[in-house]
Amino acid sequence: MPLETEHAQFLASVHPYDALSADDLEALVGLCTTETFDTGAPVFQVGDSIQYLYVIVAGEVEVTDEMDVQLSLLGPRNSFGERALLRGGPSQRTAVAIGATTLIRIPADVLHALIGEHPKIARFFDRRHPARTDAKDLTVLPVNQLMTRDPVTCWPTDTIRAAAQQMAQHHISSICVVDSDCFQGIVTVRDMNAKVVAGGADPDQAVSTIMSPDPLTLPPSALGMDVLHMMMERRIGHVPIVEDGTLLGIVTQTDLTRFQALSSADLVRRVAEAEDAAAMARVTAEIPALLAQLVNMGTRHDIVTRLVTDIADTVTRRLLAMAEVELGPPPHPYLWLACGSQGRREQTGVSDQDNCLILSDDVTDADMPYFAKLAQIVSDGLNTCGYVYCPGDMMATNPRWCQPLSVWRAYFTGWIAKPNPEAQMLASVMFDLRPIGGDESLFDDLQAETLAKASRNSIFVAHLIANSLKHYPPLGMLRGLATIRSGEHRNRLDLKHNGVVPVVDLGRVYALQGQLTAVNTRARIEAAMAAGGLSATGGADLLDAYDLIATTRLEHQAAQVKAGQGPDNYLSPATLSDFERSHLRDAFVVVKTMQSAIGTGKGALG
């Protein structure tokens, strides 16, 4: 059999090349070369420019990092080299033949052509590298690329008539009110109609008398989908983009008409319009299908979980509003916060509820029954909507987690001062707090104070690091994946507790060490890299590993939904190709390496 035909048959058994037709495989092999390496011969080294993707036909290849730490030992049917090839730049790896080794070399331009022409191959390599996205996809479009810059403005002292004339002149439906570049409010056509035409306000009055002061705004770092979700939930048509009090732009419904509204926005709208928890539950029942749709579209894992979490946030705020209608206005300010995956904006198709209430220090014992009832209404409603009660009772219905701000300060101070096992666990949970509804000022100082105190306490940091290492990647002794040994999920990987959670724990430690306010895991790692608490090389490795593990988890859940099953976190390695198993193991090795580094005080690998 000619060597070309033999290699074509070999690649036909290797994913993703098994997606190619026989003719395409023959053509591919004709563009490739083969090379044999003796024992100990380097295929490439750190700093080399990578020109090929290598596929192992026979033999083994050891891949190590810059510190000569083994990352993987690859056998036949595995590939390597695509990392530097697709990302560009010099290699950060060394690959050495172990024994006589034969490789098929796929040139860079050939690989790029395959990715461009064959969606299945493109999707396969996107599992390892950030997916290419449509510039017009609202899920990833930064709002600063969507907003109207330098919007029409007026001064608070300008007359209503003058403001209306500007709106008519520029054919716009709103005008922003500013004072020395400081954003003050907004006036819309609806305001003009309701307050002037129908309400009889004098057109010669100052426009500040009819403006909406302190309207809902978003920062320029927000995404287009954040705007759409806010509009759907709050039923508004204009969102000013503001940073540090300065008006940068505005996004209106007109700005969104050229973009297709994804179904997550429709779910947000329907939740916001729901009359009761049962109606919301009918909407949230569609979340698994939404997740599967987003995954099948190739949406990045962190965008999928953010969109899914947006729905939970809207459900929570709707339930809070319903509770206030039923109970009457709250006697004092309060803030509802989420922790856990909702707090980190990392919810998938499987989520329980983790939440708490921070109350104003003005509350009295007589006020507490109100907040207990509010917590019960919201928690029961969340459970109805599929966010089941927390098995550990980490909910606002637990009196311990429904307390005045001063009590919360005492909690954090005590956990930091005496980091016993319970304190470590609680601190880990509570460092992921994110405000959902209520008076957010109750949290601002608390978060900053806690991060400052905790980061200065070396004993507490050491305990938190030790606690973070209790979740470990599923690596076996003989280059394999360690599956669950017994029980309902025997021979499967737990992609939550042994997959994403170790990275979540690392991100939390990096945030604590650097006093970083980010709560989302990916954002924490990126912030740690930017602040110098994590090296560029170590951070990039960890992000790649996290992306692959989290994407694998979501793809597993999407496949279960498609098969009519309930999504879970337990994956059988047998469902993965050799290539996928190899790279998943590589990802787990990276996580383990980063755990070892932080555990020995070398948190910034590089």
Side-chain angles (χ1 to χ4, degrees), residues 199-230:
D202 184 351
D204 292 320
Q205 288 180 336
V207 73
S208 60
T209 61
I210 66 165
M211 74 177 183
S212 298
D214 300 319
L216 294 168
T217 66
L218 284 172
S221 59
L223 301 177
M225 186 56 69
D226 295 327
V227 177
L228 187 55
H229 282 183
M230 180 177 283

PDB file of all heavy atoms in Angstrom, residues 199-230:
ATOM      1  N   GLY A 199     -49.445  66.635  30.993  1.00  0.00           N
ATOM      2  CA  GLY A 199     -49.354  67.070  32.384  1.00  0.00           C
ATOM      3  C   GLY A 199     -49.416  68.567  32.587  1.00  0.00           C
ATOM      4  O   GLY A 199     -49.589  69.040  33.722  1.00  0.00           O
ATOM      5  N   GLY A 200     -49.237  69.338  31.528  1.00  0.00           N
ATOM      6  CA  GLY A 200     -49.382  70.778  31.630  1.00  0.00           C
ATOM      7  C   GLY A 200     -48.191  71.527  32.172  1.00  0.00           C
ATOM      8  O   GLY A 200     -48.315  72.690  32.573  1.00  0.00           O
ATOM      9  N   ALA A 201     -47.001  70.903  32.184  1.00  0.00           N
ATOM     10  CA  ALA A 201     -45.814  71.618  32.661  1.00  0.00           C
ATOM     11  C   ALA A 201     -45.509  72.785  31.733  1.00  0.00           C
ATOM     12  O   ALA A 201     -45.707  72.711  30.518  1.00  0.00           O
ATOM     13  CB  ALA A 201     -44.625  70.663  32.735  1.00  0.00           C
ATOM     14  N   ASP A 202     -45.033  73.867  32.308  1.00  0.00           N
ATOM     15  CA  ASP A 202     -44.710  75.072  31.552  1.00  0.00           C
ATOM     16  C   ASP A 202     -43.455  74.825  30.714  1.00  0.00           C
ATOM     17  O   ASP A 202     -42.396  74.514  31.267  1.00  0.00           O
ATOM     18  CB  ASP A 202     -44.479  76.232  32.525  1.00  0.00           C
ATOM     19  CG  ASP A 202     -44.237  77.554  31.809  1.00  0.00           C
ATOM     20  OD1 ASP A 202     -44.081  77.546  30.570  1.00  0.00           O
ATOM     21  OD2 ASP A 202     -44.175  78.590  32.506  1.00  0.00           O
ATOM     22  N   PRO A 203     -43.517  74.959  29.366  1.00  0.00           N
ATOM     23  CA  PRO A 203     -42.354  74.730  28.520  1.00  0.00           C
ATOM     24  C   PRO A 203     -41.181  75.644  28.824  1.00  0.00           C
ATOM     25  O   PRO A 203     -40.046  75.348  28.420  1.00  0.00           O
ATOM     26  CB  PRO A 203     -42.886  74.989  27.105  1.00  0.00           C
ATOM     27  CG  PRO A 203     -44.363  74.785  27.208  1.00  0.00           C
ATOM     28  CD  PRO A 203     -44.734  75.258  28.583  1.00  0.00           C
ATOM     29  N   ASP A 204     -41.426  76.724  29.547  1.00  0.00           N
ATOM     30  CA  ASP A 204     -40.335  77.632  29.877  1.00  0.00           C
ATOM     31  C   ASP A 204     -39.682  77.303  31.216  1.00  0.00           C
ATOM     32  O   ASP A 204     -38.766  78.019  31.648  1.00  0.00           O
ATOM     33  CB  ASP A 204     -40.850  79.082  29.872  1.00  0.00           C
ATOM     34  CG  ASP A 204     -41.229  79.540  28.469  1.00  0.00           C
ATOM     35  OD1 ASP A 204     -40.479  79.196  27.534  1.00  0.00           O
ATOM     36  OD2 ASP A 204     -42.262  80.197  28.308  1.00  0.00           O
ATOM     37  N   GLN A 205     -40.157  76.230  31.881  1.00  0.00           N
ATOM     38  CA  GLN A 205     -39.493  75.773  33.100  1.00  0.00           C
ATOM     39  C   GLN A 205     -38.157  75.125  32.744  1.00  0.00           C
ATOM     40  O   GLN A 205     -37.909  74.720  31.591  1.00  0.00           O
ATOM     41  CB  GLN A 205     -40.356  74.739  33.833  1.00  0.00           C
ATOM     42  CG  GLN A 205     -41.589  75.303  34.516  1.00  0.00           C
ATOM     43  CD  GLN A 205     -42.378  74.193  35.204  1.00  0.00           C
ATOM     44  OE1 GLN A 205     -42.278  73.044  34.822  1.00  0.00           O
ATOM     45  NE2 GLN A 205     -43.144  74.551  36.208  1.00  0.00           N
ATOM     46  N   ALA A 206     -37.316  74.985  33.737  1.00  0.00           N
ATOM     47  CA  ALA A 206     -36.039  74.292  33.528  1.00  0.00           C
ATOM     48  C   ALA A 206     -36.291  72.832  33.192  1.00  0.00           C
ATOM     49  O   ALA A 206     -37.181  72.182  33.756  1.00  0.00           O
ATOM     50  CB  ALA A 206     -35.163  74.397  34.774  1.00  0.00           C
ATOM     51  N   VAL A 207     -35.501  72.300  32.267  1.00  0.00           N
ATOM     52  CA  VAL A 207     -35.688  70.918  31.845  1.00  0.00           C
ATOM     53  C   VAL A 207     -35.453  69.948  32.996  1.00  0.00           C
ATOM     54  O   VAL A 207     -35.971  68.812  33.005  1.00  0.00           O
ATOM     55  CB  VAL A 207     -34.767  70.601  30.650  1.00  0.00           C
ATOM     56  CG1 VAL A 207     -33.319  70.487  31.105  1.00  0.00           C
ATOM     57  CG2 VAL A 207     -35.199  69.331  29.940  1.00  0.00           C
ATOM     58  N   SER A 208     -34.682  70.355  34.011  1.00  0.00           N
ATOM     59  CA  SER A 208     -34.427  69.488  35.162  1.00  0.00           C
ATOM     60  C   SER A 208     -35.703  69.124  35.903  1.00  0.00           C
ATOM     61  O   SER A 208     -35.729  68.127  36.630  1.00  0.00           O
ATOM     62  CB  SER A 208     -33.441  70.154  36.122  1.00  0.00           C
ATOM     63  OG  SER A 208     -33.958  71.383  36.598  1.00  0.00           O
ATOM     64  N   THR A 209     -36.772  69.928  35.723  1.00  0.00           N
ATOM     65  CA  THR A 209     -38.023  69.662  36.447  1.00  0.00           C
ATOM     66  C   THR A 209     -38.779  68.469  35.870  1.00  0.00           C
ATOM     67  O   THR A 209     -39.661  67.919  36.532  1.00  0.00           O
ATOM     68  CB  THR A 209     -38.932  70.899  36.428  1.00  0.00           C
ATOM     69  OG1 THR A 209     -39.257  71.232  35.056  1.00  0.00           O
ATOM     70  CG2 THR A 209     -38.252  72.079  37.092  1.00  0.00           C
ATOM     71  N   ILE A 210     -38.443  68.061  34.645  1.00  0.00           N
ATOM     72  CA  ILE A 210     -39.160  66.916  34.065  1.00  0.00           C
ATOM     73  C   ILE A 210     -38.222  65.746  33.739  1.00  0.00           C
ATOM     74  O   ILE A 210     -38.676  64.702  33.277  1.00  0.00           O
ATOM     75  CB  ILE A 210     -39.933  67.312  32.799  1.00  0.00           C
ATOM     76  CG1 ILE A 210     -38.956  67.720  31.677  1.00  0.00           C
ATOM     77  CG2 ILE A 210     -40.954  68.405  33.076  1.00  0.00           C
ATOM     78  CD1 ILE A 210     -39.611  67.770  30.299  1.00  0.00           C
ATOM     79  N   MET A 211     -36.910  65.934  33.948  1.00  0.00           N
ATOM     80  CA  MET A 211     -35.982  64.847  33.603  1.00  0.00           C
ATOM     81  C   MET A 211     -36.103  63.698  34.596  1.00  0.00           C
ATOM     82  O   MET A 211     -36.593  63.854  35.720  1.00  0.00           O
ATOM     83  CB  MET A 211     -34.536  65.364  33.595  1.00  0.00           C
ATOM     84  CG  MET A 211     -33.948  65.607  34.970  1.00  0.00           C
ATOM     85  SD  MET A 211     -32.214  66.138  34.871  1.00  0.00           S
ATOM     86  CE  MET A 211     -31.801  66.232  36.626  1.00  0.00           C
ATOM     87  N   SER A 212     -35.643  62.537  34.151  1.00  0.00           N
ATOM     88  CA  SER A 212     -35.526  61.385  35.049  1.00  0.00           C
ATOM     89  C   SER A 212     -34.122  61.419  35.637  1.00  0.00           C
ATOM     90  O   SER A 212     -33.136  61.156  34.927  1.00  0.00           O
ATOM     91  CB  SER A 212     -35.732  60.071  34.289  1.00  0.00           C
ATOM     92  OG  SER A 212     -37.020  60.009  33.738  1.00  0.00           O
ATOM     93  N   PRO A 213     -33.996  61.780  36.924  1.00  0.00           N
ATOM     94  CA  PRO A 213     -32.657  61.870  37.521  1.00  0.00           C
ATOM     95  C   PRO A 213     -32.108  60.476  37.829  1.00  0.00           C
ATOM     96  O   PRO A 213     -32.859  59.549  38.132  1.00  0.00           O
ATOM     97  CB  PRO A 213     -32.895  62.661  38.806  1.00  0.00           C
ATOM     98  CG  PRO A 213     -34.310  62.341  39.174  1.00  0.00           C
ATOM     99  CD  PRO A 213     -35.053  62.156  37.874  1.00  0.00           C
ATOM    100  N   ASP A 214     -30.803  60.321  37.725  1.00  0.00           N
ATOM    101  CA  ASP A 214     -30.139  59.053  38.044  1.00  0.00           C
ATOM    102  C   ASP A 214     -30.802  57.858  37.357  1.00  0.00           C
ATOM    103  O   ASP A 214     -31.177  56.872  37.999  1.00  0.00           O
ATOM    104  CB  ASP A 214     -30.119  58.824  39.564  1.00  0.00           C
ATOM    105  CG  ASP A 214     -29.377  59.927  40.291  1.00  0.00           C
ATOM    106  OD1 ASP A 214     -28.336  60.359  39.783  1.00  0.00           O
ATOM    107  OD2 ASP A 214     -29.853  60.345  41.368  1.00  0.00           O
ATOM    108  N   PRO A 215     -30.979  57.915  36.041  1.00  0.00           N
ATOM    109  CA  PRO A 215     -31.577  56.764  35.352  1.00  0.00           C
ATOM    110  C   PRO A 215     -30.622  55.582  35.326  1.00  0.00           C
ATOM    111  O   PRO A 215     -29.436  55.701  35.654  1.00  0.00           O
ATOM    112  CB  PRO A 215     -31.820  57.299  33.936  1.00  0.00           C
ATOM    113  CG  PRO A 215     -30.744  58.317  33.750  1.00  0.00           C
ATOM    114  CD  PRO A 215     -30.571  58.967  35.101  1.00  0.00           C
ATOM    115  N   LEU A 216     -31.127  54.441  34.916  1.00  0.00           N
ATOM    116  CA  LEU A 216     -30.284  53.257  34.784  1.00  0.00           C
ATOM    117  C   LEU A 216     -29.228  53.500  33.716  1.00  0.00           C
ATOM    118  O   LEU A 216     -29.525  53.992  32.626  1.00  0.00           O
ATOM    119  CB  LEU A 216     -31.133  52.039  34.410  1.00  0.00           C
ATOM    120  CG  LEU A 216     -32.131  51.571  35.469  1.00  0.00           C
ATOM    121  CD1 LEU A 216     -33.098  50.561  34.866  1.00  0.00           C
ATOM    122  CD2 LEU A 216     -31.392  50.952  36.640  1.00  0.00           C
ATOM    123  N   THR A 217     -27.995  53.159  34.025  1.00  0.00           N
ATOM    124  CA  THR A 217     -26.882  53.335  33.087  1.00  0.00           C
ATOM    125  C   THR A 217     -26.053  52.069  33.044  1.00  0.00           C
ATOM    126  O   THR A 217     -26.222  51.160  33.863  1.00  0.00           O
ATOM    127  CB  THR A 217     -25.982  54.515  33.508  1.00  0.00           C
ATOM    128  OG1 THR A 217     -25.333  54.187  34.749  1.00  0.00           O
ATOM    129  CG2 THR A 217     -26.786  55.800  33.660  1.00  0.00           C
ATOM    130  N   LEU A 218     -25.138  52.008  32.083  1.00  0.00           N
ATOM    131  CA  LEU A 218     -24.174  50.920  31.993  1.00  0.00           C
ATOM    132  C   LEU A 218     -22.796  51.507  31.716  1.00  0.00           C
ATOM    133  O   LEU A 218     -22.691  52.585  31.111  1.00  0.00           O
ATOM    134  CB  LEU A 218     -24.550  49.937  30.876  1.00  0.00           C
ATOM    135  CG  LEU A 218     -25.701  48.969  31.157  1.00  0.00           C
ATOM    136  CD1 LEU A 218     -26.075  48.201  29.893  1.00  0.00           C
ATOM    137  CD2 LEU A 218     -25.353  47.999  32.271  1.00  0.00           C
ATOM    138  N   PRO A 219     -21.737  50.810  32.118  1.00  0.00           N
ATOM    139  CA  PRO A 219     -20.378  51.283  31.814  1.00  0.00           C
ATOM    140  C   PRO A 219     -19.982  50.884  30.396  1.00  0.00           C
ATOM    141  O   PRO A 219     -20.605  49.997  29.789  1.00  0.00           O
ATOM    142  CB  PRO A 219     -19.530  50.545  32.853  1.00  0.00           C
ATOM    143  CG  PRO A 219     -20.267  49.260  33.063  1.00  0.00           C
ATOM    144  CD  PRO A 219     -21.725  49.612  32.968  1.00  0.00           C
ATOM    145  N   PRO A 220     -18.948  51.483  29.847  1.00  0.00           N
ATOM    146  CA  PRO A 220     -18.512  51.130  28.487  1.00  0.00           C
ATOM    147  C   PRO A 220     -17.985  49.710  28.370  1.00  0.00           C
ATOM    148  O   PRO A 220     -17.848  49.193  27.269  1.00  0.00           O
ATOM    149  CB  PRO A 220     -17.423  52.166  28.184  1.00  0.00           C
ATOM    150  CG  PRO A 220     -16.946  52.623  29.520  1.00  0.00           C
ATOM    151  CD  PRO A 220     -18.153  52.580  30.415  1.00  0.00           C
ATOM    152  N   SER A 221     -17.680  49.069  29.488  1.00  0.00           N
ATOM    153  CA  SER A 221     -17.198  47.690  29.455  1.00  0.00           C
ATOM    154  C   SER A 221     -18.316  46.678  29.287  1.00  0.00           C
ATOM    155  O   SER A 221     -18.061  45.491  29.100  1.00  0.00           O
ATOM    156  CB  SER A 221     -16.431  47.377  30.744  1.00  0.00           C
ATOM    157  OG  SER A 221     -17.284  47.556  31.876  1.00  0.00           O
ATOM    158  N   ALA A 222     -19.568  47.125  29.367  1.00  0.00           N
ATOM    159  CA  ALA A 222     -20.710  46.223  29.234  1.00  0.00           C
ATOM    160  C   ALA A 222     -20.798  45.692  27.799  1.00  0.00           C
ATOM    161  O   ALA A 222     -20.156  46.193  26.877  1.00  0.00           O
ATOM    162  CB  ALA A 222     -21.993  46.945  29.614  1.00  0.00           C
ATOM    163  N   LEU A 223     -21.619  44.657  27.627  1.00  0.00           N
ATOM    164  CA  LEU A 223     -21.847  44.076  26.308  1.00  0.00           C
ATOM    165  C   LEU A 223     -23.185  44.537  25.758  1.00  0.00           C
ATOM    166  O   LEU A 223     -24.079  44.948  26.510  1.00  0.00           O
ATOM    167  CB  LEU A 223     -21.833  42.547  26.391  1.00  0.00           C
ATOM    168  CG  LEU A 223     -20.549  41.901  26.912  1.00  0.00           C
ATOM    169  CD1 LEU A 223     -20.724  40.392  26.990  1.00  0.00           C
ATOM    170  CD2 LEU A 223     -19.367  42.250  26.015  1.00  0.00           C
ATOM    171  N   GLY A 224     -23.331  44.430  24.449  1.00  0.00           N
ATOM    172  CA  GLY A 224     -24.599  44.785  23.840  1.00  0.00           C
ATOM    173  C   GLY A 224     -25.750  43.998  24.429  1.00  0.00           C
ATOM    174  O   GLY A 224     -26.866  44.515  24.584  1.00  0.00           O
ATOM    175  N   MET A 225     -25.491  42.735  24.797  1.00  0.00           N
ATOM    176  CA  MET A 225     -26.554  41.924  25.385  1.00  0.00           C
ATOM    177  C   MET A 225     -26.975  42.470  26.740  1.00  0.00           C
ATOM    178  O   MET A 225     -28.142  42.357  27.135  1.00  0.00           O
ATOM    179  CB  MET A 225     -26.088  40.469  25.514  1.00  0.00           C
ATOM    180  CG  MET A 225     -27.194  39.517  25.989  1.00  0.00           C
ATOM    181  SD  MET A 225     -28.675  39.566  24.939  1.00  0.00           S
ATOM    182  CE  MET A 225     -28.035  38.819  23.447  1.00  0.00           C
ATOM    183  N   ASP A 226     -26.060  43.096  27.477  1.00  0.00           N
ATOM    184  CA  ASP A 226     -26.429  43.712  28.753  1.00  0.00           C
ATOM    185  C   ASP A 226     -27.459  44.818  28.527  1.00  0.00           C
ATOM    186  O   ASP A 226     -28.404  44.981  29.294  1.00  0.00           O
ATOM    187  CB  ASP A 226     -25.193  44.290  29.450  1.00  0.00           C
ATOM    188  CG  ASP A 226     -24.198  43.223  29.851  1.00  0.00           C
ATOM    189  OD1 ASP A 226     -24.635  42.114  30.190  1.00  0.00           O
ATOM    190  OD2 ASP A 226     -22.992  43.492  29.820  1.00  0.00           O
ATOM    191  N   VAL A 227     -27.255  45.594  27.463  1.00  0.00           N
ATOM    192  CA  VAL A 227     -28.198  46.664  27.127  1.00  0.00           C
ATOM    193  C   VAL A 227     -29.565  46.077  26.803  1.00  0.00           C
ATOM    194  O   VAL A 227     -30.597  46.527  27.309  1.00  0.00           O
ATOM    195  CB  VAL A 227     -27.684  47.490  25.928  1.00  0.00           C
ATOM    196  CG1 VAL A 227     -28.713  48.548  25.537  1.00  0.00           C
ATOM    197  CG2 VAL A 227     -26.358  48.144  26.251  1.00  0.00           C
ATOM    198  N   LEU A 228     -29.553  45.050  25.948  1.00  0.00           N
ATOM    199  CA  LEU A 228     -30.813  44.450  25.526  1.00  0.00           C
ATOM    200  C   LEU A 228     -31.556  43.847  26.709  1.00  0.00           C
ATOM    201  O   LEU A 228     -32.773  44.014  26.856  1.00  0.00           O
ATOM    202  CB  LEU A 228     -30.544  43.388  24.463  1.00  0.00           C
ATOM    203  CG  LEU A 228     -31.770  42.773  23.784  1.00  0.00           C
ATOM    204  CD1 LEU A 228     -32.656  43.853  23.179  1.00  0.00           C
ATOM    205  CD2 LEU A 228     -31.345  41.781  22.715  1.00  0.00           C
ATOM    206  N   HIS A 229     -30.828  43.145  27.575  1.00  0.00           N
ATOM    207  CA  HIS A 229     -31.471  42.554  28.749  1.00  0.00           C
ATOM    208  C   HIS A 229     -32.043  43.633  29.665  1.00  0.00           C
ATOM    209  O   HIS A 229     -33.139  43.482  30.211  1.00  0.00           O
ATOM    210  CB  HIS A 229     -30.467  41.689  29.510  1.00  0.00           C
ATOM    211  CG  HIS A 229     -30.232  40.353  28.871  1.00  0.00           C
ATOM    212  ND1 HIS A 229     -29.408  39.400  29.413  1.00  0.00           N
ATOM    213  CD2 HIS A 229     -30.708  39.808  27.732  1.00  0.00           C
ATOM    214  CE1 HIS A 229     -29.389  38.333  28.642  1.00  0.00           C
ATOM    215  NE2 HIS A 229     -30.166  38.559  27.608  1.00  0.00           N
ATOM    216  N   MET A 230     -31.292  44.727  29.867  1.00  0.00           N
ATOM    217  CA  MET A 230     -31.787  45.807  30.716  1.00  0.00           C
ATOM    218  C   MET A 230     -33.053  46.428  30.126  1.00  0.00           C
ATOM    219  O   MET A 230     -34.021  46.703  30.837  1.00  0.00           O
ATOM    220  CB  MET A 230     -30.710  46.873  30.907  1.00  0.00           C
ATOM    221  CG  MET A 230     -31.148  48.041  31.775  1.00  0.00           C
ATOM    222  SD  MET A 230     -29.840  49.261  32.060  1.00  0.00           S
ATOM    223  CE  MET A 230     -28.866  48.408  33.307  1.00  0.00           C
TER     224      MET A 230
END
